[in-house]
């Protein structure tokens, strides 16, 4: 049973940094990619980036390139999203997700964690 549990959200000021965590269980990491998404009120879910658990290669969406970094700690089975130079437009619910390479879609989702950035 795949479980993804996000934590680390909160309210910060513009320019601050925040690190989100996603505790992962039930995943065969050699077969999965992990990702981060966000959704602001009234907007569609936005892809932030993804990481291959084995090897650690990453891909990012254009809106966060250079400010956000995805990493993982294999010993802790935890995915991270380091967010720097936060802007009010980064305010959203942030989700981690898991995808088998063969699936062609994101299959498993966490419950989300709220990030609010004030100016």
């Amino acid at each position: 049973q795949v479980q993804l549990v996000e934590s680390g959200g909160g309210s910060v000021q513009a320019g601050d940094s925040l690190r989100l965590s996603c505790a992962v269980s039930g995943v065969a990491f050699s077969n999965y990619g992990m990702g981060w998404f966000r959704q602001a009120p009234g907007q569609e879910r936005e892809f932030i980036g993804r990481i291959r658990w084995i090897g650690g290669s990453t891909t990012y969406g254009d809106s966060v390139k250079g400010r956000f970094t995805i990493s993982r700690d294999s010993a802790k089975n935890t995915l991270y999203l380091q967010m720097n130079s936060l802007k009010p437009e980064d305010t959203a619910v942030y989700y981690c997700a898991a995808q088998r390479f063969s699936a062609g879609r994101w299959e498993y989702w966490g419950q989300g964690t709220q990030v609010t950035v004030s100016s």
Side-chain angles (χ1 to χ4, degrees), residues 18-90:
L18 200 61
R19 189 179 76 163
L20 306 183
S21 300
C22 174
V24 183
S25 60
V27 166
F29 291 115
S30 60
N31 297 327
Y32 279 77
M34 305 296 299
W36 285 99
F37 292 77
R38 66 184 181 186
Q39 188 166 22
Q43 297 187 23
E44 294 187 354
R45 188 166 53 201
E46 179 187 13
F47 171 76
I48 294 173
R50 64 184 300 159
I51 186 169
R52 278 182 174 256
W53 199 272
I54 305 300
S57 61
T58 53
T59 305
Y60 295 96
D62 290 339
S63 65
V64 303
K65 277 183 180 177
R67 296 191 299 127
F68 290 11
T69 303
I70 296 173
S71 62
R72 83 276 187 254
D73 185 329
S74 298
K76 296 181 179 179
N77 286 357
T78 301
L79 179 71
Y80 299 104
L81 178 65
Q82 177 67 43
M83 306 184 290
N84 298 328
S85 302
L86 284 163
K87 306 174 183 179
E89 51 264 43
D90 293 319

